[in-house]
Structure formats: C-alpha cells, structure tokens
Amino acid sequence: MLIKPMLALCVASTAIAGAAMAEGTTYGPRPFYLIDRMHDGPLKEKLASCTGQAPSMSKFSIGHRGAPLQFPEHTVESNVAAARMGAGILECDVTFTADKELVCRHAQNDLHTTTDILATDLATKCTKPFSPASGNRNASAECRASDITLAEFRTLTAKMDAANTKGTTVAEYMDGTAGWRTDLYSVQDGTLMTHAESIALFDSLGADFTPELKSASVDMPHDGFSQADYAQKMIDDYKAAGIDPARVWVQSFDLDDVKYWIENEPEFGAQAVYLDDRYAESDEDEGLIDYMDPATFKPTMQELADMGVKYIAPPMWMLLTLDDAGNMVASPYATEAQAAGLNVITWTLEPSGPLINGGGWYFQSVREAIDTDGDYFTILHALREEAGVVGVFSDWPATVTYYANCIGLD
C-alpha cells in the first residue's frame, strides 16, 4: 500500500501559503456579488463604501472546516483558501483512528462521503460496505476513521462531502456534489491532515485555532481509550506544539467535555466553547429548549456561566427572530446569553447555497425576511448588531472577513 507523504505535502503547501499570506489576503469576487444583490438601504451603502479597503485577517471570521463551499473540507487546501480569505481562526474537527491517533474529520463516520475510501482496497474495512440503490432503497455505506489506522488514513484522498443516494455503483455514489458547489478544486489530491499537522499549518498561516472534539461513533471507552483521555489528548497536541492557550478556542457539543477542560486544563478551559444543539425543532422534541422561551433553557444561561462556561455557540437561527415589522432582531435565547455575560459564536454562514428560497435549516427563524443572496450580509449584520456575536463560522470566509473589515472588527 502506497502511503502519501502527507507531512511533506503539508509543509510544502504551508510554505506556499505563507508566501501568499505575506502578500496579504484577498476577498475574491463573492462579497461584491452579494453586495450587488442587496436591497437598497444603509447597510448596502456602508458595505459598498468599503469596496476599496485593504483585506486583512479578522478573528470574527472563522473558517468552518476551511472553505468547504468549494474546497474539500478539513484539507490543507481548504484551510489555505480560508486563510487567504482572511479567516483569523481555523477549525479542525477532531476524531480518532483505530490506533487512537487524532485526525481532522467532521465526523468519525464520514469517510464514505468525504474521501475516496470506497474506491480503494480499504473499503473492505468499512463498518458498513457500500450497498447500491435498488428499487425504493437508497444506496448507503458507513466508513469510520476508527475502522482504519493512521497509516491507512494517510493513503486516502479527500473529496467534496457528498453522496448520490441513487447510485448503483461506487462511482455514481461518490458523484453527488450539489450543483451550487463544485468539484473544480478536488480533481487533484485533497490533502488530509492529522490534528497535529493542522496546528502546524494554521500557525504558519497566522491563524488561531478552534478544534472541536467530535462525538465518537464507537462506544466510549473504546479499547481502554476514555472520553477524558480523548479530551486530554487533543489539548496535549497544543501543549506539544507550544501554542499559547489564549489562541485556542476548544469546542464540544458535550457539556461534560467543556467542564473537563475548565476543571483540568483551566488555561484552555477559559475559552472553551459549548456548542449548543439542545434545540427543539418540533413539539415532539421533549426535554429540548425552545429558543423563544427562556423557561425551557436547562441549564439556564446563568447556570452555564456559573459552571465557568464563557463561550456558547448555537446555530444562527436560534439567535434571531422577526419583529412585527419583519426586521431581524435578537431572540430571547440571544438576550439571555448576553444578560449572563456569555460570549456568543454562531454557525454557519453560506452552508446551503442560494437564499432565494429561504435558505433552508440554518435560516428557519428569519426565512420570511430572505429573498436574495444579498441577505447573507443582512443576516450577518443582525447577528452582530442585534445578537452581539463575537465570531461567525462560514463555509466561505471572505464574506465575513469583508464585513468585519468594513465595520472595523479585529
């Protein structure tokens, strides 16, 4: 089995990226495309007035898995693109391989949609081998990072995260990229990374770090590897690299992970981010919170603050609602977080293509106020001015960077 020289590729790409960063960041055409499509008004006038500004990195702009609107996520190439677009913080979603090595993947069980594993000999190691579509049955597969060793992981090539569930062959199944995305930047090798390699890359790009400890697809403890071991191992990579904890915002959807860092690694725990997915999406979601009803917040925002949590990160729609005039305003969730002194980060801008039909799941609370792609800036402005967010994850960081530079956010 041929093992790609991943670290060498990473170092080479880093050198190229470092030279590019020395020349400055670039917005590319998209922010201007969005401004052109905004409705006339003060915000459009303000953003249009900044068209001649010099792009610069901003920590308000967070690369969500890099720049996966067009680049394969969690790759060297995706993160270099995000840094070139001014993302001041970059993300590695952290999971582990069969030999307990930490790697960057959005989920432990996503290799079948984010890499070429099904087209390789490693497909035989997948938890659930490829099953073709037949009749009313969709094609399916499940391949986990924990199914293979780090050495085997290094042989894979990243691709755009997608699957064609109507595929009757592996090739058809792997060819599922949405029409508003592109495979243009994944026709050549998409370079996967270990967590440690992501630290070296992001540091060389002048960006800070927001690693997310992903929930394991295997039962924990796994072969003697406990959840605490997992949470600690991620921190240890930053210590080994000599990274100042003030540059790191560790994240988890599991409040116990956040509490572990607060209690056991207080320097890192001081900026630990509680990713909030407690949202109720229907009346059947008992025990979950209604973002419009503070009585359902369990624990409350103040209780979270009393635990030592300083950062909370819900999806965008939980932070905004519409007033009687149809304007985007802060939701009760956002105002309660502000009252408790919590710093709010949110996810994810530009994850789902054109907004002309309301934008989908991420925009559900303000759907009636959306009718143009220019509303990405309308939403971004409301998140900052109404909900008071201190950072925004984006699948195309140039949009957030342009806004941050224009209104003077570092």
Side-chain angles (χ1 to χ4, degrees):
M1 180 179 294
L2 176 63
I3 298 179
K4 295 178 183 177
M6 183 170 298
L7 186 56
L9 283 170
C10 184
V11 170
S13 296
T14 299
I16 294 169
M21 292 305 297
E23 299 171 3
T25 58
T26 178
Y27 299 127
R30 184 160 176 79
F32 308 103
Y33 169 89
L34 297 178
I35 292 168
D36 288 344
R37 279 149 185 80
M38 294 178 69
H39 296 297
D40 291 340
L43 179 59
K44 182 175 182 177
E45 292 174 6
K46 172 61 177 173
L47 294 174
S49 75
C50 296
T51 55
Q53 69 186 359
S56 62
M57 267 190 164
S58 170
K59 289 182 175 59
F60 187 74
S61 179
I62 306 171
H64 182 238
R65 315 179 214 169
L69 183 67
Q70 295 192 30
F71 288 83
E73 64 185 43
H74 286 312
T75 59
V76 169
E77 294 80 8
S78 186
N79 282 285
V80 168
R84 285 172 172 157
M85 286 187 256
I89 302 175
L90 298 174
E91 179 187 42
C92 170
D93 288 328
V94 178
T95 189
F96 59 87
T97 60
D99 44 353
K100 316 300 187 303
E101 297 296 331
L102 302 186
V103 295
C104 298
R105 287 291 89 201
H106 180 58
Q108 190 168 48
N109 63 339
D110 73 359
L111 295 185
H112 51 289
T113 63
T114 63
T115 75
D116 63 347
I117 190 170
L118 292 176
T120 75
D121 292 342
L122 292 174
T124 60
K125 295 194 171 187
C126 290
T127 295
K128 295 180 181 178
F130 172 69
S131 176
S134 178
N136 294 325
R137 186 188 68 197
N138 285 338
S140 63
E142 183 184 1
C143 303
R144 301 175 177 176
S146 54
D147 289 336
I148 58 176
T149 66
L150 176 59
E152 291 168 331
F153 177 84
R154 290 186 183 280
T155 68
L156 301 177
T157 295
K159 71 177 192 68
M160 294 298 284
D161 182 15
N164 172 15
T165 59
K166 301 303 180 184
T168 59
T169 66
V170 165
E172 289 178 354
Y173 180 77
M174 291 173 59
D175 185 19
T177 305
W180 45 268
R181 283 199 157 104
T182 181
D183 291 314
L184 187 63
Y185 303 114
S186 59
V187 293
Q188 291 183 291
D189 290 356
T191 312
L192 302 179
M193 296 183 293
T194 66
H195 178 233
E197 288 166 351
S198 79
I199 295 172
L201 177 65
F202 300 173
D203 191 36
S204 76
L205 294 170
D208 288 345
F209 317 85
T210 186
E212 179 188 336
L213 195 73
K214 302 302 294 189
S215 297
S217 298
V218 294
D219 292 334
M220 299 292 282
H222 179 65
D223 291 341
F225 190 55
S226 70
Q227 187 67 24
D229 294 334
Y230 183 24
Q232 186 62 51
K233 188 176 178 70
M234 189 176 84
I235 299 296
D236 289 344
D237 277 350
Y238 291 92
K239 289 181 171 182
I243 300 298
D244 183 347
R247 296 179 61 199
V248 185
W249 286 262
V250 292
Q251 314 171 69
S252 180
F253 281 104
D254 188 338
L255 184 56
D256 286 339
D257 292 336
V258 175
K259 290 164 67 176
Y260 174 87
W261 293 319
I262 291 170
E263 294 167 7
N264 295 279
E265 290 288 350
E267 288 188 296
F268 290 91
Q271 293 189 154
V273 181
Y274 174 37
L275 296 164
D276 196 352
D277 65 350
R278 297 174 294 163
Y279 41 79
E281 296 187 83
S282 74
D283 293 338
E284 298 177 358
D285 291 334
E286 296 182 4
L288 299 178
I289 68 174
D290 176 352
Y291 75 108
M292 296 293 289
D293 182 4
T296 67
F297 300 175
K298 306 294 182 184
T300 67
M301 298 298 182
Q302 189 58 55
E303 287 169 342
L304 288 171
D306 292 344
M307 293 175 194
V309 176
K310 293 184 172 63
Y311 288 82
I312 192 167
M316 294 186 303
W317 61 265
M318 291 180 70
L319 296 170
L320 297 174
T321 188
L322 300 178
D323 64 14
D324 291 341
N327 299 310
M328 298 180 191
V329 296
S331 69
Y333 180 102
T335 57
E336 288 289 307
Q338 291 173 11
L342 296 174
N343 297 290
V344 182
I345 298 170
T346 193
W347 41 278
T348 306
L349 200 72
E350 299 186 85
S352 48
L355 293 182
I356 192 168
N357 295 317
W361 185 87
Y362 287 91
F363 309 94
Q364 57 189 281
S365 64
V366 294
R367 183 177 293 120
E368 293 178 4
I370 295 171
D371 62 6
T372 170
D373 277 6
D375 283 327
Y376 275 120
F377 276 125
T378 311
I379 294 162
L380 186 55
H381 190 58
L383 287 168
R384 173 61 185 174
E385 295 300 310
E386 299 290 331
V389 302
V390 299
V392 177
F393 282 93
S394 176
D395 280 10
W396 199 249
T399 303
V400 180
T401 303
Y402 183 95
Y403 173 84
N405 290 170
C406 188
I407 68 169
L409 298 176
D410 292 334

